[in-house]
Coordinates of all heavy atoms in Angstrom, one line a residue:
M1 N 10.5 24.0 -13.7 CA 9.4 23.9 -12.8 C 9.8 24.1 -11.4 O 10.8 23.6 -10.9 CB 8.8 22.5 -13.0 CG 7.6 22.2 -12.0 SD 6.9 20.6 -12.2 CE 6.1 20.8 -13.8
K2 N 8.9 24.8 -10.7 CA 9.2 25.0 -9.2 C 8.5 24.0 -8.4 O 7.5 23.3 -8.9 CB 8.6 26.4 -8.8 CG 9.3 27.6 -9.5 CD 8.7 28.9 -9.1 CE 9.3 30.0 -9.8 NZ 8.7 31.3 -9.5
L3 N 8.9 23.8 -7.2 CA 8.4 22.8 -6.3 C 6.9 23.0 -6.1 O 6.1 22.1 -6.2 CB 9.1 22.8 -5.0 CG 8.5 21.9 -3.9 CD1 8.6 20.4 -4.3 CD2 9.3 22.0 -2.6
E4 N 6.5 24.3 -5.9 CA 5.1 24.6 -5.7 C 4.2 24.2 -6.9 O 3.1 23.7 -6.7 CB 4.9 26.1 -5.4 CG 5.6 26.6 -4.2 CD 7.1 26.8 -4.4 OE1 7.6 27.0 -5.6 OE2 7.8 26.8 -3.4
D5 N 4.7 24.4 -8.1 CA 4.0 24.0 -9.3 C 3.8 22.4 -9.4 O 2.8 21.9 -9.7 CB 4.7 24.5 -10.6 CG 4.8 26.0 -10.6 OD1 3.8 26.7 -10.1 OD2 5.8 26.5 -11.2
F6 N 4.9 21.8 -9.0 CA 4.9 20.3 -9.1 C 3.9 19.8 -8.1 O 3.1 18.8 -8.4 CB 6.3 19.8 -8.7 CG 6.4 18.3 -8.7 CD1 6.5 17.5 -9.9 CD2 6.4 17.6 -7.5 CE1 6.6 16.2 -9.8 CE2 6.5 16.2 -7.4 CZ 6.6 15.5 -8.6
L7 N 3.8 20.3 -6.9 CA 2.9 19.8 -5.9 C 1.4 20.1 -6.2 O 0.6 19.4 -5.7 CB 3.2 20.5 -4.5 CG 4.6 20.1 -3.9 CD1 4.9 20.9 -2.7 CD2 4.7 18.6 -3.6
T8 N 1.1 21.0 -7.1 CA -0.3 21.2 -7.5 C -0.7 20.3 -8.6 O -1.9 20.2 -8.8 CB -0.5 22.7 -8.0 OG1 0.3 22.9 -9.1 CG2 -0.1 23.7 -6.9
L9 N 0.2 19.5 -9.2 CA -0.2 18.6 -10.2 C -0.8 17.3 -9.6 O -0.5 16.9 -8.5 CB 1.0 18.1 -11.0 CG 1.8 19.2 -11.8 CD1 3.1 18.6 -12.4 CD2 0.9 19.7 -12.9
P10 N -1.8 16.7 -10.4 CA -2.3 15.4 -9.9 C -1.2 14.4 -9.9 O -0.2 14.5 -10.6 CB -3.3 15.1 -11.0 CG -3.6 16.3 -11.7 CD -2.4 17.2 -11.6
L11 N -1.3 13.4 -9.1 CA -0.2 12.4 -8.9 C 0.3 11.8 -10.2 O 1.5 11.7 -10.5 CB -0.7 11.2 -8.0 CG 0.3 10.1 -7.7 CD1 1.5 10.7 -7.1 CD2 -0.3 9.0 -6.9
H12 N -0.6 11.4 -11.2 CA -0.2 10.8 -12.4 C 0.6 11.8 -13.2 O 1.5 11.4 -13.9 CB -1.4 10.2 -13.2 CG -2.3 11.2 -13.7 ND1 -3.3 11.8 -12.9 CD2 -2.5 11.7 -15.0 CE1 -4.0 12.6 -13.7 NE2 -3.6 12.6 -14.9
H13 N 0.3 13.1 -13.2 CA 1.1 14.1 -13.9 C 2.5 14.3 -13.2 O 3.5 14.6 -13.8 CB 0.4 15.5 -14.0 CG -0.7 15.4 -15.0 ND1 -1.9 16.0 -14.8 CD2 -0.7 14.9 -16.2 CE1 -2.7 15.8 -15.9 NE2 -2.0 15.1 -16.8
Q14 N 2.5 14.2 -11.9 CA 3.8 14.3 -11.1 C 4.7 13.1 -11.6 O 5.9 13.3 -11.9 CB 3.6 14.2 -9.6 CG 2.9 15.4 -9.0 CD 2.6 15.3 -7.5 OE1 2.6 14.2 -7.0 NE2 2.5 16.4 -6.9
Q15 N 4.1 12.0 -11.7 CA 4.9 10.8 -12.1 C 5.4 11.0 -13.5 O 6.5 10.6 -13.9 CB 4.1 9.5 -12.0 CG 3.8 9.1 -10.5 CD 2.9 8.0 -10.4 OE1 1.8 8.0 -10.9 NE2 3.4 7.0 -9.7
E16 N 4.6 11.5 -14.4 CA 5.0 11.8 -15.8 C 6.2 12.7 -15.8 O 7.1 12.5 -16.6 CB 3.9 12.3 -16.6 CG 2.8 11.3 -17.0 CD 1.6 11.9 -17.7 OE1 1.6 13.2 -17.9 OE2 0.8 11.2 -18.2
Q17 N 6.1 13.8 -15.0 CA 7.2 14.7 -15.0 C 8.5 14.1 -14.6 O 9.6 14.3 -15.1 CB 6.9 15.9 -14.0 CG 5.8 16.8 -14.5 CD 6.3 17.6 -15.7 OE1 7.4 18.1 -15.8 NE2 5.4 17.6 -16.7
L18 N 8.4 13.2 -13.6 CA 9.6 12.4 -13.1 C 10.2 11.5 -14.2 O 11.4 11.5 -14.5 CB 9.3 11.6 -11.9 CG 9.0 12.4 -10.6 CD1 8.6 11.5 -9.5 CD2 10.2 13.2 -10.2
W19 N 9.3 10.8 -14.9 CA 9.7 9.8 -15.9 C 10.3 10.5 -17.1 O 11.3 10.0 -17.7 CB 8.6 9.0 -16.4 CG 8.1 8.0 -15.3 CD1 8.8 7.5 -14.3 CD2 6.7 7.6 -15.1 NE1 8.0 6.7 -13.5 CE2 6.7 6.8 -13.9 CE3 5.5 7.8 -15.7 CZ2 5.6 6.2 -13.5 CZ3 4.4 7.2 -15.3 CH2 4.4 6.4 -14.1
F20 N 9.8 11.7 -17.5 CA 10.2 12.3 -18.8 C 11.3 13.4 -18.5 O 12.1 13.7 -19.4 CB 9.0 12.9 -19.5 CG 8.1 11.8 -20.1 CD1 6.8 11.7 -19.6 CD2 8.6 10.9 -21.0 CE1 6.0 10.7 -20.1 CE2 7.8 9.9 -21.5 CZ 6.5 9.8 -21.0
R21 N 11.3 14.0 -17.3 CA 12.2 15.2 -17.1 C 13.1 15.0 -15.9 O 14.1 15.7 -15.8 CB 11.3 16.4 -16.9 CG 10.5 16.8 -18.1 CD 9.7 18.1 -17.9 NE 10.6 19.2 -17.6 CZ 10.5 19.9 -16.4 NH1 9.5 19.7 -15.6 NH2 11.3 20.9 -16.2
G22 N 12.8 14.0 -15.1 CA 13.6 13.8 -13.9 C 14.9 13.0 -14.1 O 15.0 12.3 -15.1
S23 N 15.8 13.1 -13.2 CA 17.0 12.3 -13.3 C 17.1 11.4 -12.0 O 17.0 12.0 -10.9 CB 18.3 13.2 -13.3 OG 18.3 14.0 -14.4
V24 N 17.2 10.1 -12.2 CA 17.3 9.2 -11.1 C 18.7 9.4 -10.5 O 19.7 9.3 -11.2 CB 17.1 7.8 -11.5 CG1 17.3 6.8 -10.3 CG2 15.7 7.6 -12.1
L25 N 18.7 9.7 -9.2 CA 20.0 9.9 -8.5 C 20.5 8.7 -7.8 O 21.7 8.3 -7.8 CB 19.9 11.1 -7.6 CG 19.6 12.4 -8.1 CD1 19.5 13.5 -7.0 CD2 20.6 12.8 -9.2
A26 N 19.5 7.9 -7.2 CA 19.9 6.8 -6.4 C 18.6 6.0 -6.1 O 17.5 6.5 -6.2 CB 20.6 7.2 -5.1
N27 N 18.9 4.7 -5.7 CA 17.8 3.9 -5.2 C 18.3 3.2 -4.0 O 19.5 2.9 -3.8 CB 17.2 3.0 -6.2 CG 18.2 2.0 -6.7 OD1 18.9 1.4 -6.0 ND2 18.1 1.8 -8.0
R28 N 17.4 2.8 -3.1 CA 17.8 2.1 -1.9 C 16.7 1.2 -1.4 O 15.5 1.4 -1.9 CB 18.3 3.0 -0.7 CG 17.2 4.0 -0.2 CD 17.7 4.9 0.8 NE 16.6 5.8 1.3 CZ 15.8 5.5 2.3 NH1 16.0 4.4 3.0 NH2 14.8 6.3 2.7
Y29 N 17.0 0.2 -0.6 CA 16.0 -0.7 -0.1 C 16.0 -0.7 1.4 O 17.0 -0.5 2.1 CB 16.4 -2.1 -0.6 CG 16.5 -2.2 -2.1 CD1 17.7 -2.0 -2.7 CD2 15.4 -2.5 -2.8 CE1 17.9 -2.0 -4.1 CE2 15.5 -2.6 -4.2 CZ 16.7 -2.3 -4.8 OH 16.8 -2.4 -6.2
E30 N 14.8 -0.7 1.9 CA 14.6 -0.7 3.4 C 13.3 -1.6 3.7 O 12.2 -1.3 3.2 CB 14.3 0.7 3.8 CG 14.2 0.9 5.3 CD 14.1 2.4 5.7 OE1 14.9 3.2 5.3 OE2 13.1 2.7 6.4
D31 N 13.6 -2.6 4.4 CA 12.5 -3.6 4.7 C 11.9 -4.1 3.4 O 12.6 -4.5 2.5 CB 11.5 -3.0 5.7 CG 12.1 -2.6 7.0 OD1 13.0 -3.4 7.5 OD2 11.7 -1.6 7.6
A32 N 10.6 -3.9 3.3 CA 9.9 -4.3 2.0 C 9.6 -3.2 1.1 O 8.7 -3.2 0.3 CB 8.6 -5.0 2.4
S33 N 10.4 -2.1 1.2 CA 10.2 -0.9 0.4 C 11.4 -0.6 -0.5 O 12.6 -0.9 -0.1 CB 9.9 0.3 1.2 OG 8.7 0.2 1.9
I34 N 11.2 -0.1 -1.7 CA 12.2 0.4 -2.6 C 12.0 1.9 -2.6 O 10.9 2.4 -2.8 CB 12.0 -0.2 -4.0 CG1 12.2 -1.7 -3.9 CG2 13.1 0.4 -4.9 CD1 11.8 -2.4 -5.3
F35 N 13.1 2.7 -2.5 CA 13.0 4.1 -2.5 C 13.8 4.6 -3.7 O 14.9 4.1 -4.0 CB 13.6 4.7 -1.3 CG 12.9 4.4 0.0 CD1 13.1 3.3 0.7 CD2 12.0 5.4 0.5 CE1 12.3 3.0 1.9 CE2 11.2 5.1 1.6 CZ 11.4 3.9 2.3
L36 N 13.3 5.5 -4.5 CA 13.9 6.1 -5.6 C 14.0 7.6 -5.4 O 13.1 8.2 -5.1 CB 13.2 5.8 -6.9 CG 13.0 4.4 -7.4 CD1 12.0 4.3 -8.5 CD2 14.4 3.9 -7.9
L37 N 15.2 8.1 -5.6 CA 15.5 9.5 -5.5 C 15.7 10.1 -6.8 O 16.5 9.7 -7.6 CB 16.7 9.8 -4.6 CG 17.1 11.3 -4.4 CD1 16.0 12.0 -3.6 CD2 18.4 11.4 -3.7
Y38 N 14.9 11.2 -7.1 CA 15.0 11.9 -8.4 C 15.4 13.3 -8.1 O 15.0 13.9 -7.1 CB 13.6 12.0 -9.1 CG 13.1 10.7 -9.7 CD1 12.5 9.7 -9.0 CD2 13.3 10.5 -11.1 CE1 12.0 8.6 -9.6 CE2 12.8 9.3 -11.7 CZ 12.2 8.4 -10.9 OH 11.7 7.2 -11.5
A39 N 16.1 13.9 -9.1 CA 16.2 15.4 -9.2 C 15.4 15.9 -10.3 O 15.4 15.3 -11.4 CB 17.7 15.7 -9.4
L40 N 14.6 16.9 -10.0 CA 13.8 17.5 -11.0 C 13.9 19.0 -10.9 O 13.5 19.6 -9.9 CB 12.3 17.1 -10.9 CG 11.3 17.6 -11.9 CD1 11.7 17.2 -13.3 CD2 9.9 17.2 -11.5
D41 N 14.6 19.7 -11.9 CA 14.8 21.1 -11.8 C 15.6 21.5 -10.6 O 16.7 21.1 -10.4 CB 13.6 21.9 -12.1 CG 13.0 21.7 -13.5 OD1 13.7 21.4 -14.4 OD2 11.7 21.8 -13.6
V42 N 14.9 22.2 -9.7 CA 15.6 22.7 -8.5 C 15.1 22.0 -7.2 O 15.3 22.6 -6.1 CB 15.4 24.2 -8.3 CG1 16.1 24.9 -9.5 CG2 14.0 24.6 -8.3
F43 N 14.6 20.8 -7.3 CA 14.1 20.1 -6.1 C 14.3 18.6 -6.3 O 14.7 18.1 -7.3 CB 12.7 20.5 -5.7 CG 11.7 20.2 -6.8 CD1 11.0 19.0 -6.9 CD2 11.4 21.1 -7.8 CE1 10.1 18.7 -7.9 CE2 10.5 20.9 -8.8 CZ 9.8 19.6 -8.8
Y44 N 14.1 17.9 -5.2 CA 14.2 16.4 -5.2 C 12.8 15.8 -5.0 O 12.0 16.4 -4.3 CB 15.1 16.0 -4.1 CG 16.5 16.6 -4.2 CD1 16.8 17.7 -3.4 CD2 17.5 16.1 -5.0 CE1 18.1 18.3 -3.4 CE2 18.7 16.7 -5.1 CZ 19.0 17.8 -4.3 OH 20.2 18.3 -4.4
V45 N 12.7 14.6 -5.5 CA 11.5 13.8 -5.2 C 11.9 12.4 -4.8 O 12.7 11.8 -5.5 CB 10.6 13.7 -6.5 CG1 9.3 12.9 -6.2 CG2 10.2 15.1 -7.0
E46 N 11.3 11.9 -3.8 CA 11.5 10.5 -3.3 C 10.2 9.7 -3.5 O 9.1 10.2 -3.1 CB 11.9 10.5 -1.9 CG 12.2 9.1 -1.4 CD 12.5 9.0 0.1 OE1 11.6 9.4 0.9 OE2 13.6 8.6 0.4
L47 N 10.3 8.6 -4.2 CA 9.2 7.7 -4.3 C 9.5 6.4 -3.5 O 10.6 5.9 -3.4 CB 9.1 7.2 -5.8 CG 8.8 8.3 -6.8 CD1 8.8 7.7 -8.2 CD2 7.6 9.1 -6.5
Q48 N 8.4 6.0 -2.8 CA 8.5 4.8 -2.0 C 7.6 3.8 -2.6 O 6.4 4.0 -2.7 CB 8.2 5.0 -0.5 CG 8.3 3.8 0.3 CD 7.8 4.0 1.8 OE1 7.4 5.1 2.2 NE2 7.9 2.9 2.6
Y49 N 8.1 2.6 -2.9 CA 7.3 1.5 -3.5 C 7.3 0.3 -2.6 O 8.3 0.0 -1.9 CB 7.9 1.1 -4.9 CG 7.7 2.0 -6.0 CD1 8.7 2.9 -6.4 CD2 6.5 2.0 -6.7 CE1 8.5 3.8 -7.4 CE2 6.3 2.9 -7.8 CZ 7.3 3.8 -8.1 OH 7.2 4.6 -9.2
D50 N 6.2 -0.4 -2.6 CA 6.0 -1.7 -2.0 C 6.8 -2.6 -2.9 O 6.4 -2.8 -4.0 CB 4.6 -2.0 -1.8 CG 4.4 -3.5 -1.3 OD1 5.3 -4.2 -1.1 OD2 3.2 -3.8 -1.2
A51 N 7.9 -3.2 -2.4 CA 8.7 -4.1 -3.2 C 8.0 -5.4 -3.6 O 8.2 -5.9 -4.7 CB 10.0 -4.5 -2.5
V52 N 7.1 -5.8 -2.8 CA 6.3 -7.1 -3.1 C 5.2 -6.8 -4.1 O 5.1 -7.5 -5.1 CB 5.8 -7.7 -1.9 CG1 5.0 -9.0 -2.2 CG2 6.9 -8.1 -0.9
G53 N 4.4 -5.8 -3.9 CA 3.2 -5.5 -4.7 C 3.5 -4.5 -5.8 O 2.6 -4.2 -6.6
S54 N 4.7 -4.0 -5.9 CA 5.1 -3.0 -7.0 C 4.0 -1.8 -7.0 O 3.6 -1.4 -8.0 CB 5.2 -3.6 -8.3 OG 6.2 -4.5 -8.4
K55 N 3.7 -1.4 -5.8 CA 2.7 -0.3 -5.7 C 3.4 0.9 -5.0 O 4.1 0.8 -4.1 CB 1.5 -0.8 -4.8 CG 0.5 0.2 -4.6 CD -0.6 -0.4 -3.7 CE -1.7 0.7 -3.4 NZ -2.7 0.2 -2.5
L56 N 3.0 2.1 -5.6 CA 3.6 3.3 -5.0 C 2.9 3.6 -3.7 O 1.7 3.6 -3.6 CB 3.3 4.5 -6.0 CG 3.7 5.9 -5.5 CD1 5.3 5.9 -5.4 CD2 3.2 7.0 -6.5
L57 N 3.7 3.8 -2.7 CA 3.2 4.0 -1.3 C 3.2 5.5 -1.0 O 2.4 6.0 -0.3 CB 4.0 3.2 -0.3 CG 4.1 1.7 -0.4 CD1 5.0 1.1 0.6 CD2 2.7 1.2 -0.3
R58 N 4.3 6.2 -1.5 CA 4.4 7.6 -1.1 C 5.3 8.3 -2.1 O 6.2 7.8 -2.7 CB 5.1 7.6 0.3 CG 5.3 9.0 0.9 CD 5.9 9.0 2.3 NE 7.1 8.3 2.4 CZ 8.3 8.9 2.1 NH1 8.3 10.2 1.8 NH2 9.4 8.2 2.2
L59 N 4.9 9.6 -2.3 CA 5.7 10.5 -3.1 C 6.0 11.7 -2.3 O 5.0 12.3 -1.7 CB 5.0 10.9 -4.4 CG 5.7 11.8 -5.4 CD1 5.3 11.5 -6.8 CD2 5.5 13.3 -5.0
S60 N 7.2 12.1 -2.1 CA 7.5 13.3 -1.3 C 8.5 14.2 -2.1 O 9.5 13.6 -2.7 CB 8.0 13.1 0.1 OG 9.2 12.4 0.1
A61 N 8.2 15.5 -2.2 CA 9.1 16.4 -2.9 C 9.6 17.4 -1.9 O 8.9 17.9 -1.0 CB 8.3 17.1 -4.0
F62 N 10.9 17.8 -2.1 CA 11.5 18.7 -1.1 C 12.7 19.4 -1.7 O 13.3 19.0 -2.8 CB 11.9 17.9 0.1 CG 12.8 16.7 -0.2 CD1 14.1 16.7 -0.3 CD2 12.1 15.4 -0.5 CE1 14.9 15.6 -0.6 CE2 12.9 14.3 -0.7 CZ 14.3 14.4 -0.8
T63 N 13.1 20.5 -1.1 CA 14.3 21.2 -1.5 C 15.4 21.1 -0.5 O 16.6 21.3 -0.8 CB 14.0 22.7 -1.7 OG1 13.4 23.3 -0.5 CG2 13.0 22.9 -2.9
S64 N 15.1 20.7 0.7 CA 16.0 20.6 1.8 C 17.0 19.4 1.5 O 16.6 18.4 0.9 CB 15.3 20.3 3.1 OG 16.2 19.9 4.1
T65 N 18.2 19.5 1.9 CA 19.2 18.4 1.7 C 19.1 17.4 2.9 O 19.7 16.4 2.8 CB 20.6 19.0 1.6 OG1 20.9 19.8 2.7 CG2 20.8 19.8 0.3
E66 N 18.4 17.8 3.9 CA 18.3 16.9 5.1 C 17.7 15.5 4.7 O 18.3 14.5 5.2 CB 17.5 17.5 6.2 CG 17.5 16.7 7.5 CD 16.7 17.4 8.6 OE1 16.9 18.7 8.7 OE2 16.0 16.8 9.3
P67 N 16.6 15.4 3.9 CA 16.1 14.1 3.6 C 17.0 13.3 2.7 O 16.8 12.1 2.4 CB 14.8 14.4 2.8 CG 14.4 15.8 3.3 CD 15.7 16.5 3.5
L68 N 18.1 13.9 2.2 CA 19.1 13.1 1.4 C 20.0 12.2 2.2 O 20.7 11.4 1.6 CB 19.9 14.1 0.5 CG 19.2 15.0 -0.4 CD1 20.2 16.0 -1.1 CD2 18.4 14.2 -1.5
A69 N 20.0 12.4 3.5 CA 21.0 11.7 4.3 C 21.0 10.2 4.0 O 22.1 9.6 3.9 CB 20.6 11.9 5.8
P70 N 19.9 9.4 3.9 CA 20.0 8.0 3.6 C 20.7 7.7 2.3 O 21.2 6.6 2.0 CB 18.6 7.5 3.6 CG 17.8 8.5 4.2 CD 18.5 9.8 4.1
Y71 N 20.7 8.7 1.4 CA 21.3 8.4 0.0 C 22.7 8.8 -0.1 O 23.4 8.5 -1.1 CB 20.5 9.2 -1.0 CG 19.0 8.8 -1.1 CD1 18.0 9.5 -0.4 CD2 18.7 7.7 -1.9 CE1 16.7 9.0 -0.5 CE2 17.4 7.3 -1.9 CZ 16.4 8.0 -1.3 OH 15.1 7.5 -1.4
L72 N 23.3 9.5 0.9 CA 24.6 10.1 0.7 C 25.7 9.0 0.4 O 26.5 9.3 -0.5 CB 25.1 10.8 2.0 CG 24.3 12.1 2.2 CD1 24.8 12.8 3.5 CD2 24.4 13.1 1.1
P73 N 25.7 7.8 1.0 CA 26.7 6.8 0.5 C 26.5 6.3 -0.9 O 27.4 5.7 -1.5 CB 26.5 5.7 1.5 CG 25.7 6.2 2.6 CD 24.9 7.4 2.1
L74 N 25.3 6.6 -1.5 CA 25.0 6.1 -2.8 C 25.2 7.1 -3.9 O 25.2 6.8 -5.1 CB 23.5 5.7 -2.8 CG 23.1 4.7 -1.8 CD1 21.6 4.5 -1.8 CD2 23.8 3.3 -2.0
L75 N 25.4 8.4 -3.6 CA 25.4 9.5 -4.5 C 26.9 9.6 -5.1 O 27.8 9.5 -4.3 CB 25.0 10.8 -3.9 CG 23.5 10.8 -3.5 CD1 23.2 12.1 -2.8 CD2 22.6 10.6 -4.7
P76 N 27.0 10.0 -6.4 CA 28.3 10.2 -6.9 C 29.0 11.4 -6.3 O 28.4 12.4 -5.9 CB 28.1 10.4 -8.4 CG 26.6 10.6 -8.6 CD 25.9 10.2 -7.3
D77 N 30.3 11.4 -6.3 CA 31.1 12.4 -5.7 C 30.9 13.8 -6.3 O 30.8 14.8 -5.5 CB 32.6 12.1 -5.8 CG 33.0 10.9 -4.9 OD1 32.3 10.6 -4.0 OD2 34.0 10.3 -5.2
D78 N 30.7 13.9 -7.6 CA 30.4 15.2 -8.2 C 29.1 15.8 -7.7 O 29.0 17.0 -7.5 CB 30.5 15.1 -9.7 CG 29.4 14.2 -10.3 OD1 29.1 13.2 -9.7 OD2 29.0 14.5 -11.4
L79 N 28.1 15.0 -7.5 CA 26.9 15.5 -6.9 C 27.0 15.9 -5.5 O 26.5 17.0 -5.0 CB 25.7 14.5 -7.1 CG 24.4 14.9 -6.5 CD1 23.9 16.2 -7.3 CD2 23.4 13.8 -6.7
L80 N 27.7 15.2 -4.7 CA 28.0 15.5 -3.3 C 28.7 16.8 -3.2 O 28.4 17.6 -2.3 CB 28.8 14.4 -2.6 CG 28.1 13.1 -2.4 CD1 29.0 12.0 -1.9 CD2 26.9 13.3 -1.5
A81 N 29.6 17.1 -4.1 CA 30.4 18.4 -4.1 C 29.4 19.5 -4.3 O 29.6 20.6 -3.6 CB 31.4 18.4 -5.1
K82 N 28.4 19.4 -5.1 CA 27.4 20.4 -5.3 C 26.5 20.7 -4.1 O 26.0 21.8 -3.9 CB 26.5 20.1 -6.5 CG 27.2 20.1 -7.8 CD 26.3 19.7 -8.9 CE 27.0 19.6 -10.2 NZ 26.2 19.2 -11.3
L83 N 26.3 19.7 -3.2 CA 25.5 19.8 -2.1 C 26.2 20.5 -0.9 O 25.5 21.0 0.0 CB 25.0 18.4 -1.6 CG 24.2 17.6 -2.5 CD1 23.9 16.2 -2.0 CD2 22.9 18.3 -2.8
E84 N 27.5 20.5 -0.9 CA 28.3 21.1 0.2 C 28.2 22.6 0.1 O 28.0 23.3 -0.8 CB 29.7 20.6 0.2 CG 29.7 19.2 0.5 CD 31.2 18.6 0.4 OE1 32.1 19.3 -0.2 OE2 31.4 17.5 0.8

């Protein structure tokens, strides 16, 4: 699946794609939010959840490695080697 195809899907279908086809790469916590980073085919998806209410706040999909910066300390070495 290409990023453009993913972005045209309704939110609930995007989430299904992540759950069934995506690979969780890392999670992190910031203030009252939990962030999950997924790899799906040739792009990444970040989900932001309200940690208290367990509610999805934001879903962003991207191909750039720049948004991965907060996750770099959390990613395995073999994945980091692929990003270089």
Side-chain angles (χ1 to χ4, degrees):
M1 172 178 291
K2 295 179 183 176
L3 176 60
E4 298 80 19
D5 299 327
F6 179 80
L7 293 174
T8 62
L9 295 173
L11 179 60
H12 66 281
H13 285 138
Q14 289 176 341
Q15 290 175 306
E16 286 176 354
Q17 289 295 312
L18 291 176
W19 293 328
F20 294 114
R21 297 183 56 238
S23 298
V24 177
L25 299 179
N27 61 44
R28 64 184 181 88
Y29 302 89
E30 186 177 305
D31 299 326
S33 292
I34 300 170
F35 295 84
L36 295 169
L37 178 66
Y38 286 83
L40 181 61
D41 296 332
V42 295
F43 58 93
Y44 304 98
V45 179
E46 181 184 62
L47 300 178
Q48 179 184 1
Y49 286 97
D50 173 0
V52 177
S54 296
K55 180 180 176 182
L56 179 64
L57 300 175
R58 184 176 58 85
L59 180 151
S60 65
F62 50 91
T63 56
S64 168
T65 57
E66 187 176 318
L68 298 178
Y71 296 98
L72 292 179
L74 307 171
L75 296 176
D77 291 338
D78 59 330
L79 180 61
L80 290 173
K82 292 178 185 179
L83 296 174
E84 294 176 346

